[in-house]
Every structure is written in C-alpha cells, then in structure tokens.
Amino acid sequence: MMKRFVYADNSATTKISDAVFNEMLPWLKEGYGNASSIYALGREAGFAVERARKQVADALGAQPSEIYFTGCGSESDNWAVKGAAHKLAAKGKKHIITTVFEHHAILHTCQALEKEGFEVTYLPVYENGIVRVQDVENAIREDTALVTIMYANNEIGTIQPISQIGALCREKNVWFHTDAVQAVGNVPIDVKEQNIDMLSLSGHKIHAPKGIGVLYMKKGIVIPNLIDGGGQERGRRAGTENVASIVALGKAIELACEDIPGRIAKVSPMRDKIIDALSKIPYSRVNGDRERRLNGNVNMSFIGAEGEALLLSLDLAGICASSGSACTTGSLDPSHVLLAIGLSHEVAHGSLRITINEDNDQADIDHIIQTVPQVVEKLRAMSPMWEDLMKNKKEVKL
Amino acid sequence: MMKRFVYADNSATTKISDAVFNEMLPWLKEGYGNASSIYALGREAGFAVERARKQVADALGAQPSEIYFTGCGSESDNWAVKGAAHKLAAKGKKHIITTVFEHHAILHTCQALEKEGFEVTYLPVYENGIVRVQDVENAIREDTALVTIMYANNEIGTIQPISQIGALCREKNVWFHTDAVQAVGNVPIDVKEQNIDMLSLSGHKIHAPKGIGVLYMKKGIVIPNLIDGGGQERGRRAGTENVASIVALGKAIELACEDIPGRIAKVSPMRDKIIDALSKIPYSRVNGDRERRLNGNVNMSFIGAEGEALLLSLDLAGICASSGSACTTGSLDPSHVLLAIGLSHEVAHGSLRITINEDNDQADIDHIIQTVPQVVEKLRAMSPMWEDLMKNKKEVKL
Amino acid sequence: MLYSDKVLEHFAAPHNVGELPDADGVGEVGNAKCGDIMKMYIKVDDGKISDVKFKTFGCGAAIATSSIATDMIKGASIEDALKLTNSAVVEALDGLPASKVHCSVLAEQAVKAALADYYRKQGVDPTPIVGEIGECEACHNL
Ligand SMILES: Cc1ncc(COP(=O)(O)O)c(C=O)c1O
Ligand SMILES: Cc1ncc(COP(=O)(O)O)c(C=O)c1O
Ligand code: FES
Ligand code: FES
C-alpha cells in the first residue's frame, strides 16, 4: 500500500490551522496576563478576549454580550440544558424535547435530568436521520421547558430543519437550544433569523485548539451557572479566561464562516466521489440522507467487516477514520445514532465514518477510494459472518 | 523611575515556562489526534494523556486512576462541592462546612447550594487568616456531607492546617475537599498521608496554560458528573481531551513539585525582604500570618492609598500586582478575605498583593522596594483621607 | 484505546488465518450482535494439535487474541490446549485494555469449542473433559 497520511476524522477533531496558531501563540508566550487584571499586560489580554467575542458574535449573527466562553462543547451543552431545565422547573416546566440521536453531551445530560424527575421526549429521526418538525410540534406541551435538537449530526452528518424548529418554538414560546458543534463553518447560521435561543459550539472542530467552547445565549435568557466563582464572563462562567484559546477560537470561527459556500463547493464533490466509489462494494450502504448532510461526511456500513478492525487496518495504510462499532467504544452497543436510523447491530458493527474537509485533496480521496475496498475485502476474507452470508446460511437486511 | 518590567502577580496567573511550552507544542501542532481514537495519531495522544495523569498522581501521592482532568480550577471546585453535596443529600446529609475566606469558586458554589436548600457553616479565620481545627470539629454534625477548606489562601497566602483537618474528617467519617490551587508547588502535598478525599488544582498557577485543571478524587468517592457526555476521563468528565494542556500540566506539576524546599529557600527571603522594607512605610500593616504563608505572598495595606490607584501607578513603573480593593473588582465591597481577617473597609481599600516566584530576582525585589513607597507617598499626598488622618481628624485602626 | 505493540503486530499480520477443510474439530463462539464471532478449526494427530486455523469477525483485540491463541495451541497436546486461559492469552499480548478482556475470553472459548467438537466426533461426550462452554456473560445480556 502507498505510504501516505490522510487525516479523515475531522468530525472528531481538527488540526489547528497555521493562521489560528499564529494568532494564539503570542498569548501563550508573552501575553500571559490575567484578562481581568488592570495592568497593561492584563488589559491587553482583556481586549483580545473581547475582540474574539466579537468575532464569534459576528459569525453567528449575535451580539458580543450574548457570547459566553466555556471549556468545551460538552460544557456548553450541559450548561444550556441543565441550566434551562433548572430555571424553568421553578415555573413548573419539567418537560424537555430532544432527539434519540443527539451527541452524548446532550443525551447523558437528559438522562441525568430524568433521574432528577424531569421528563424527556426523545424524537425519532427515521431512516434518513432527520427529525420531523411535525413531531416536534406534536411533542410540545404546556410544561415543555426546552427543545434541544442538534444542528448537524456528528456521525452521519445529517442537517436538521433548524430554522423551522426555531420558528415553531418561538411561536409556542418554548426555549430552543441547538448543539451546533458540527454545523459551524459548514452551514450558514444566523441565530436571530433562525430564532435560536441558545447554541453550543466547540473550537477544536474548526481548527482551534481543544478545550475551548462557546455558549450563545440570547439576551434575556438567564439560567443558573454551571461553574460558579469569579466574575469572569459577566459573572456567568467562572475561571481565569483562557486567553490564548479564546483568541484562537475567535480567529478560527472568522475563518470558518467567511466562505461557507466556497467550502461546500470544494468539499462536497470529494465527499460524493468517496460515497459513489465505496457504494460499489457489495453489501454496503450509505447511512443518513445523501443530500441534507455535511459537506465532508461519509458514513457507510460494510457487512462482515467489523468497524474497529477496519479502522486499525486503515491506520496501517495511513488513513485516520472512525466507526460506530461497539468495539471502538469499549461498550457492547454500537452507535446509538446508527441504531436510531434503523440499522441492525450487525450492520452497525461494520460502519465507517470518513470526515474530510478543505485540507484534503484529490490524492487523499484517491487513497481512500483505493484502500477501503481492499481492507473490507481482507477483513471479509477472515470473517465467519461473511462466510455464512456468502453460503446463504445467513440473511442480513441492509 | 527605572524602566523595568516586574511581574509580581503570580497568584493570579503565571507565565508558561519554556520547559512546559516545549513539552506541549508538539500536541498543538502535529499531535492533534483525538486521544480516544484508535489510530496511531490518537493512540499517541492517549498515551501522552496517561503519562501526564501519572505525573499529576506522583506529585500528589495519588494513583493515576484518581486523577480527573477538568477545564479549570473553578470547574474542579464546582464539581467537587456540588457533586459531594448532591451525592450525600440522598443520604440525608445536607450540611457543608467551609471558611469565610475561600475563593469564590467555593463560596459562590456554596451559596448556590444554599439556594437549593443545603445548609453551610462558614468558619471564621481570625486575624491571622488561619482556620482553627477545633472550630471544624465543633461544626461537624451528624448530617455534615463535606468539609471544604482551601489549602492556602489566594490573597493573603496563609496556609491552613490541612493535615489535622484531614485526620479529623477521616475520624469523623466526613468527606474532605481542599482547594489547593495556590498550594501546589509551594507546600508538599500527600493526599494519602493527609487524608484528603478530593483536591482541586489549576494549571495556570504553576506555569502551565490557562484552561486546564485537575480534580483528584480518592478511590471510592463517586459523585455525579458536572459535565455529562462522552466516555472521557472514565466516563466522569466529558469533552474531547485537551491533550496539549494536559501534557503541559503534567510537566508543570512535575517541575513544580520536584524541589519545593529549594523554591521556599529561594523565594521566601525575597518575600521577607519586601515585607520588611514596606513595613517601614508608616500606617502600613501586613495581612495574614507572617510565618504560615506562601513563600511568594506579600499582602499589605497602606492607609490612605487606594488599591486600584496603587496598581495603576505601579503598572506605570512596570510592576504588575493586585489588590483587594473593591475598585479593582468593579464591585462595591473590598475583598471578602481582608474583611474576614478583621480589616475595616478603609484599610482593605488600601491593600496591595505582590506575589513573586522563582523567576523573580533581587533586581525585581529592589525595584519593588524602591517603587512602592514612592507610589504610596504620591497617592497619600493627594488623598483627603490621609490629610484627615495626619491632622488627627480621623482615627483608623490598623 | 491503548493497545500494546504486540496486539497491533498480531492484528496487522495475524497468524493461522483461514479454514481447514479436513478439520478434526470446529468451534464457533460469540454472536454477530455484539460484534464478535470466532471460528476455530483444529487438526489432531497423536493427541497433539498438529494444525489450527481461525476466522474472526471482531475488533483488533479479537483478531489478535485469535491469532496468538492459535499460536499457543499449535503443536501442543490436547491436555495443554485445554489449559489455555484467557489470562494467558492477555499476558502473551502484553495486556489488553479492560474493555477488551471479553475478546480474550472468546478466544479461550473458541479453542474449547473446537476441542469439544473433536471429542464429539470421536464419540466422546466432551462436557466432563471440556466443561460447559457458556456464552460470554456480557453478550448474553444483549
Ligand atoms: C484558591 C483558588 N481557587 C480557585 C481558583 C480558580 O482557578 P481557575 O482560574 O483555574 O478557574 C483560583 C484562581 O483563580 C484560586 O486562587
Ligand atoms: C455534536 C457534538 N456535540 C458536542 C461535542 C462535544 O464537544 P467537546 O469535545 O468540545 O466537548 C461534539 C464533539 O465531540 C459533537 O460532535
Ligand atoms: S470484538 Fe468487539 S470488542 Fe472485541
Ligand atoms: S461474546 Fe459478545 S460480548 Fe462477549
């Protein structure tokens, strides 16, 4: 096999871009002052934080005063959902609406709230991996505190009808949060136009470092703090400001959102080329809607080739990818997302997620297209499950 | 005045050291893989995280499996205190013991818990800024869930009798948490010997970057998650691992704890030199116990010279310091710490905190010793309060 | 997920992959639902396992444990092969992540299942010799 390195797991995390790195570096070195301090070293850091806040606000169509920096996307999700739940519980609203295929930062948060006595409706996402607005409408009740639905799914990349859900929630006077960690930079977002009350995002998905996130909260939305303490972030999120990472996130979101149509035009043909090529593998399927999906997301299943083994084999060929197989997570159940769109355990076990972005080129795509079929074949050749299938001893519904 | 830059606000935050920076840099650049991923790029990141976990554990006398990385010291404090409270509330224990002069990450957390129906005892710290073990003992009740007492105070640097409190809590079978954000690297810590059940620390106080913290939790202590989501940190703290900052923290704590006696021997004479020199300023006082204090902490009050004005003047002379004056925080009340040790508002307003470390040298100290008296004099010369005092129109208790 | 180099070695180039058309014993364990199926073929001559092959559907650990388990019993007496434990397999691989230990259990069971089949084909009731080959407990709960 060719000696080539292809990073194709950009939905897991991205490389810090040079532009972002150069922007953050001074704040890791000489600009180490506490952004809340009054001497010049601190004031400059404080200004840098406010510049970044403006960059984030501009990218989302929000006001800087509506932007709160957090420690990661998961923290933003937890803060938004737990905060809204606890706030509105005081008004007797103890019902939350979400989908079955949210990221665990939302799902496990909802489960924690259920233990506290909240009631959660998990909406289905059907075979195409897209929630239906009508289902959201039907689920809204008098005591619904919050609707939280992800903007784009992290595994199968399907994009949800956020504008319609936003309009519905506004009309019904229910708070609406969206986990946009995967969507930012890939879909144009305008929180005002789309009636989004709260939105989570994470730096490391858009070429900023790990360990920095944002929660956008519309003016007027006041929820209890998740992290109490000092007066940072207008008293709503304590902790000495992570200046370097905040600056990086500001730059990264500016770059990510400056030409979204250009990114889509560049990346989605590469995505389609991969999907078309790998669809020729017998007993394969594409997971999630083919049209309404992130420009860089490929998610497919290959029966008889277990996902973790696929990943390790691809790694040997220099390709970094991911899978929804149970075996990759150390749990017994395969990805809840793949099960949610109706895959059987068997098929979900043979899944592969390839997430490319604008840093990938045609040679990367060719390497993927050439390697995956070989690897699938190799694993199938040693798979008793495949043997049974070929000998018609077994039926599998794709 | 001399053109010299003296950073003397190391209790607020520290510069990332070269050794730490060099250690983290590869993980910001090429080593960007997701530490939970299975391909080589991810596995290496995973190993780096585990090495850092070991470094932290070794520095504290803990097991690596007892170390959880968080987004900052404030998060660690919130997680520990809210988690323990919610966990033990289920057993009918709804009482918490702390001190009046904790960091806001503890105090505001306790206040949030009070709103939820918990009862909190705030122990006094007396004039010397040290809590009395007997007071802790007297405060412990049948329904006490947690004792949380800081290891060293961030403003006046006083070191608390942690070993005795730990022994007491073990004997009484009450969980004991300590906020050791200021203590790590300055005081030898052994969580096992000292019977510490939970301990918070923060990277940016020991030359690692901002935005990374640790919560140590003794084996067997299980509390609800603050941040639910993915399986990171053994399912107890979600969020894609902040590999670069985790690696940095590992290196930083190793370096910080490798020669604590050496640091004390080097820094505390500089501290004493500053205190002795500035004590010659009339109407001044030292805040907090002179012996049982952090090796780098100077905290003094100068009547008639307002703290924020002091800081701005010092900044003009190239000195970064901090103050417990209300004016620096934008709130009306001066530091709760200074009030806790019995200072009047007037005196607290005139406070100055200088926190040095091993990066400072004699020339820095000389610059401080030369500049502060000039600045105090300048401000007093224009202060009506000082005028009243000099004309015996006013009495102030120091 | 922290795999040892040994695991990765065996995964990259597994030993004894394939089928034995004239096997004296064939055992299959696991189930596709949990993502683990192991099938083991053995050839027995003079009370010794003269050849062994496997096929596995499963993760890196499943493939590596199959590979090393076949190495460990190849050429061994039936008695010694019966003594193969999952912990010996884990040890031979320089350890496995905790969440992967069940894959090594499967390797032990696959060997036992193949030996049981061998005894059955000899007209011997394998249960007193090989013991019950239960399902993996974790798998059973699915
Ligand atoms: C004693 C103490 N606890 C907690 C914190 C909070 O740490 P962080 O800024 O990392 O949230 C600080 C510093 O700000 C501190 O000095
Ligand atoms: C949809 C979604 N939400 C939340 C997260 C969590 O973000 P973070 O890793 O910054 O906590 C991720 C990524 O891991 C994600 O893909
Ligand atoms: S085969 Fe699934 S974890 Fe090993
Ligand atoms: S065999 Fe399926 S989990 Fe063990």
Side-chain angles (χ1 to χ4, degrees):
Chain A
M1 285 177 192
M2 290 163 59
K3 278 270 171 235
R4 198 185 166 84
F5 179 74
V6 179
Y7 185 70
D9 200 14
N10 287 287
S11 276
T13 196
T14 58
K15 187 177 195 314
I16 301 182
S17 67
D18 291 344
V20 169
F21 182 79
N22 293 335
E23 197 87 6
M24 79 184 281
L25 188 59
W27 304 102
L28 284 175
K29 303 272 246 176
E30 316 84 47
Y32 58 90
N34 174 2
S36 300
S37 290
I38 158 170
Y39 38 76
L41 190 72
R43 286 196 308 270
E44 281 154 24
F47 287 130
V49 167
E50 294 318 311
R51 275 194 302 276
R53 197 184 306 284
K54 175 92 171 44
Q55 287 169 312
V56 176
D58 287 349
L60 300 175
Q63 294 300 314
S65 58
E66 297 172 319
I67 302 300
Y68 299 87
F69 291 108
T70 66
C72 59
S74 301
E75 182 191 328
S76 301
D77 281 343
N78 274 258
W79 185 16
V81 175
K82 290 177 182 171
H86 290 139
K87 169 78 179 194
L88 296 173
K91 298 189 183 161
K93 296 189 173 186
K94 298 197 72 174
H95 176 236
I96 294 165
I97 298 169
T98 188
T99 73
V100 284
F101 83 155
E102 297 294 310
H103 189 270
H104 284 135
I106 296 289
L107 279 188
H108 289 164
T109 293
C110 286
Q111 286 157 8
L113 289 169
E114 283 180 307
K115 280 200 200 141
E116 287 181 32
F118 288 86
E119 200 186 320
V120 182
T121 300
Y122 299 92
L123 298 176
V125 293
Y126 302 95
E127 214 221 307
N128 63 354
I130 296 179
V131 72
R132 298 193 185 153
V133 181
Q134 187 60 52
D135 287 352
V136 182
E137 179 156 8
N138 295 344
I140 293 177
R141 313 187 313 208
E142 271 290 293
D143 65 338
T144 302
L146 180 75
V147 171
T148 174
I149 291 178
M150 69 198 319
Y151 208 125
N153 182 271
N154 47 305
E155 292 192 35
I156 57 174
T158 50
I159 298 166
Q160 309 303 308
I162 293 303
S163 300
Q164 290 97 302
I165 299 170
L168 172 68
C169 290
R170 184 58 35 93
E171 182 198 318
K172 301 279 185 184
N173 207 14
V174 174
W175 284 1
F176 175 42
H177 168 258
T178 186
D179 173 344
V181 168
Q182 294 290 339
V184 170
N186 293 309
V187 184
I189 298 178
D190 186 312
V191 290
K192 296 276 128 67
E193 250 177 41
Q194 296 180 287
N195 295 299
I196 298 168
D197 296 314
M198 295 190 271
L199 178 146
S200 304
L201 64 89
S202 177
H204 71 97
K205 309 286 186 179
I206 53 169
H207 305 288
K210 298 165 181 61
I212 185 75
V214 160
L215 181 61
Y216 151 80
M217 270 190 282
K218 191 177 137 83
K219 189 170 173 235
I221 301 254
V222 181
I223 61 175
N225 293 348
L226 188 70
I227 300 184
D228 286 299
Q232 296 91 349
E233 301 297 307
R234 284 93 70 211
R236 296 176 70 176
R237 200 286 188 179
T240 302
E241 295 88 343
N242 186 351
V243 183
S245 296
I246 288 173
V247 166
L249 174 51
K251 183 72 184 175
I253 201 169
E254 184 183 293
L255 294 174
C257 295
E258 117 197 311
D259 182 19
I260 294 174
R263 173 170 304 116
I264 294 176
K266 180 174 175 211
V267 178
S268 58
M270 297 197 283
R271 170 200 68 193
D272 292 338
K273 191 170 169 190
I274 300 175
I275 294 182
D276 291 339
L278 301 189
S279 292
K280 297 198 184 109
I281 298 177
Y283 291 89
S284 66
R285 60 164 278 149
V286 181
N287 298 316
D289 196 280
R290 273 216 58 168
E291 303 302 324
R292 283 171 287 172
R293 76 187 300 136
L294 292 173
N295 57 74
N297 178 289
V298 175
N299 191 310
M300 298 185 64
S301 296
F302 308 102
I303 293 185
E306 191 279 321
E308 196 208 91
L310 263 173
L311 299 188
L312 285 172
S313 305
L314 289 175
D315 185 33
L316 293 174
I319 298 172
C320 300
S322 97
S323 168
S325 164
C327 308
T328 58
T329 61
S331 86
L332 279 170
D333 286 316
S335 149
H336 67 287
V337 173
L338 298 179
L339 298 181
I341 59 168
L343 267 59
S344 65
H345 275 62
E346 277 100 327
V347 178
H349 274 297
S351 78
L352 176 67
R353 181 186 74 174
I354 291 170
T355 44
I356 55 169
N357 69 14
E358 66 279 12
D359 293 340
N360 292 106
D361 59 19
Q362 288 300 335
D364 288 348
I365 307 310
D366 292 341
H367 187 50
I368 291 169
I369 288 175
Q370 205 184 325
T371 309
V372 174
Q374 292 169 11
V375 165
V376 169
E377 199 176 337
K378 183 192 91 180
L379 291 175
R380 281 177 172 174
M382 60 192 282
S383 161
M385 180 174 159
W386 180 250
E387 188 187 318
D388 287 354
L389 191 74
M390 290 300 100
K391 292 187 182 152
N392 283 319
K393 281 205 202 144
K394 198 179 161 69
E395 284 224 6
V396 178
K397 186 189 140 286
L398 260 177
Chain B
M1 287 175 191
M2 289 164 61
K3 278 273 172 230
R4 197 184 167 83
F5 179 74
V6 178
Y7 185 70
D9 200 14
N10 286 289
S11 276
T13 196
T14 57
K15 187 178 196 312
I16 301 181
S17 68
D18 291 345
V20 169
F21 183 78
N22 293 336
E23 198 88 6
M24 79 183 280
L25 189 59
W27 305 102
L28 284 175
K29 304 272 246 177
E30 316 83 47
Y32 59 88
N34 175 3
S36 299
S37 290
I38 173 166
Y39 39 77
L41 189 71
R43 287 198 306 271
E44 280 155 24
F47 284 123
V49 167
E50 294 318 310
R51 276 195 301 276
R53 198 184 305 286
K54 175 94 172 40
Q55 287 169 312
V56 176
D58 287 348
L60 300 175
Q63 295 300 315
S65 58
E66 297 172 320
I67 302 300
Y68 299 87
F69 291 109
T70 66
C72 58
S74 301
E75 182 190 329
S76 300
D77 281 343
N78 274 258
W79 185 16
V81 175
K82 290 177 181 171
H86 292 139
K87 170 77 180 194
L88 296 173
K91 297 190 183 158
K93 298 190 173 186
K94 297 198 71 173
H95 177 235
I96 294 164
I97 298 169
T98 187
T99 72
V100 285
F101 83 153
E102 297 295 310
H103 189 270
H104 284 133
I106 296 289
L107 279 189
H108 289 163
T109 293
C110 286
Q111 286 157 8
L113 289 169
E114 283 179 308
K115 279 200 199 142
E116 286 181 33
F118 288 85
E119 199 185 322
V120 182
T121 300
Y122 300 92
L123 298 176
V125 293
Y126 302 95
E127 214 222 305
N128 64 353
I130 295 178
V131 73
R132 297 196 184 150
V133 181
Q134 187 60 53
D135 287 352
V136 181
E137 179 156 9
N138 295 344
I140 292 177
R141 314 188 312 209
E142 270 290 294
D143 64 339
T144 302
L146 179 75
V147 171
T148 174
I149 291 178
M150 69 199 317
Y151 209 125
N153 182 271
N154 46 305
E155 292 192 35
I156 57 174
T158 50
I159 298 165
Q160 309 303 307
I162 293 304
S163 300
Q164 291 97 301
I165 299 171
L168 171 68
C169 291
R170 183 59 34 93
E171 182 199 317
K172 300 280 182 183
N173 207 14
V174 174
W175 285 2
F176 175 44
H177 167 257
T178 186
D179 174 344
V181 168
Q182 294 290 339
V184 170
N186 293 309
V187 184
I189 298 178
D190 186 311
V191 290
K192 296 276 128 66
E193 252 178 40
Q194 297 180 287
N195 295 298
I196 297 168
D197 296 313
M198 294 191 270
L199 178 146
S200 305
L201 63 89
S202 177
H204 71 97
K205 310 286 187 180
I206 53 170
H207 305 288
K210 296 163 182 61
I212 185 75
V214 159
L215 181 61
Y216 152 81
M217 271 190 282
K218 191 179 137 84
K219 187 170 174 230
I221 300 256
V222 181
I223 61 174
N225 293 347
L226 188 69
I227 301 184
D228 286 300
Q232 296 92 350
E233 301 296 307
R234 284 93 69 214
R236 294 176 71 177
R237 200 285 190 181
T240 302
E241 295 89 343
N242 186 352
V243 183
S245 295
I246 287 172
V247 166
L249 174 51
K251 183 70 184 174
I253 201 168
E254 184 183 294
L255 293 174
C257 295
E258 117 197 310
D259 182 19
I260 295 175
R263 172 170 305 115
I264 294 175
K266 178 171 179 213
V267 178
S268 57
M270 297 197 283
R271 170 199 67 191
D272 292 338
K273 192 170 169 189
I274 300 174
I275 294 182
D276 291 341
L278 301 189
S279 293
K280 297 200 185 109
I281 298 177
Y283 291 88
S284 67
R285 59 163 279 148
V286 180
N287 298 316
D289 197 279
R290 273 216 58 169
E291 301 304 322
R292 285 171 285 172
R293 75 187 300 135
L294 293 173
N295 57 75
N297 179 289
V298 175
N299 191 309
M300 297 184 65
S301 297
F302 309 101
I303 293 184
E306 193 279 322
E308 198 205 88
L310 263 173
L311 298 188
L312 286 173
S313 306
L314 289 174
D315 185 32
L316 293 175
I319 299 172
C320 300
S322 96
S323 167
S325 161
C327 309
T328 58
T329 61
S331 84
L332 279 172
D333 286 318
S335 149
H336 67 288
V337 174
L338 298 179
L339 299 181
I341 58 169
L343 268 57
S344 65
H345 274 60
E346 276 105 324
V347 178
H349 274 299
S351 78
L352 176 68
R353 181 185 74 174
I354 291 170
T355 44
I356 56 169
N357 69 13
E358 67 278 12
D359 293 339
N360 293 106
D361 58 17
Q362 288 301 334
D364 289 348
I365 307 311
D366 292 340
H367 186 52
I368 292 170
I369 288 175
Q370 207 185 324
T371 310
V372 174
Q374 292 170 12
V375 165
V376 169
E377 199 176 336
K378 184 190 89 181
L379 292 175
R380 281 177 172 174
M382 58 194 282
S383 158
M385 180 176 159
W386 181 250
E387 192 186 319
D388 287 356
L389 192 74
M390 288 301 102
K391 292 187 180 153
N392 282 317
K393 282 201 200 150
K394 198 178 160 70
E395 283 224 8
V396 178
K397 187 186 141 286
L398 260 177
Chain C
M1 191 76 61
L2 306 176
Y3 279 144
S4 69
D5 290 342
K6 200 71 177 272
V7 172
L8 295 171
E9 247 169 64
H10 274 272
F11 170 77
H15 307 168
N16 310 311
V17 179
E19 298 168 43
L20 289 176
D22 55 348
D24 298 317
V26 183
E28 180 172 320
V29 293
N31 87 47
K33 223 178 153 194
C34 74
D36 262 293
I37 310 175
M38 271 184 212
K39 194 166 184 181
M40 212 159 275
Y41 302 80
I42 53 170
K43 190 107 191 80
V44 179
D45 286 307
D46 292 339
K48 277 202 160 126
I49 298 182
S50 55
D51 203 1
V52 52
K53 295 261 188 242
F54 79 91
K55 274 193 163 183
T56 288
F57 170 79
C59 67
I63 290 170
T65 53
S66 314
S67 167
I68 206 154
T70 53
D71 275 356
M72 290 167 86
I73 62 167
K74 197 165 175 175
S77 65
I78 289 182
E79 291 72 35
D80 285 345
L82 276 171
K83 284 188 208 136
L84 182 81
T85 61
N86 82 297
S87 41
V89 168
V90 172
E91 203 175 302
L93 287 172
D94 296 338
L96 276 180
S99 61
K100 295 292 183 182
V101 170
H102 75 102
C103 308
S104 68
V105 173
L106 215 60
E108 175 194 322
Q109 288 178 338
V111 170
K112 295 221 160 89
L115 287 166
D117 184 54
Y118 163 75
Y119 279 119
R120 230 176 275 114
K121 283 184 176 142
Q122 308 294 309
V124 180
D125 175 12
T127 317
I129 308 165
V130 180
E132 288 284 355
I133 301 165
E135 262 192 357
C136 165
E137 217 168 292
C139 193
H140 200 72
N141 294 334
L142 275 178

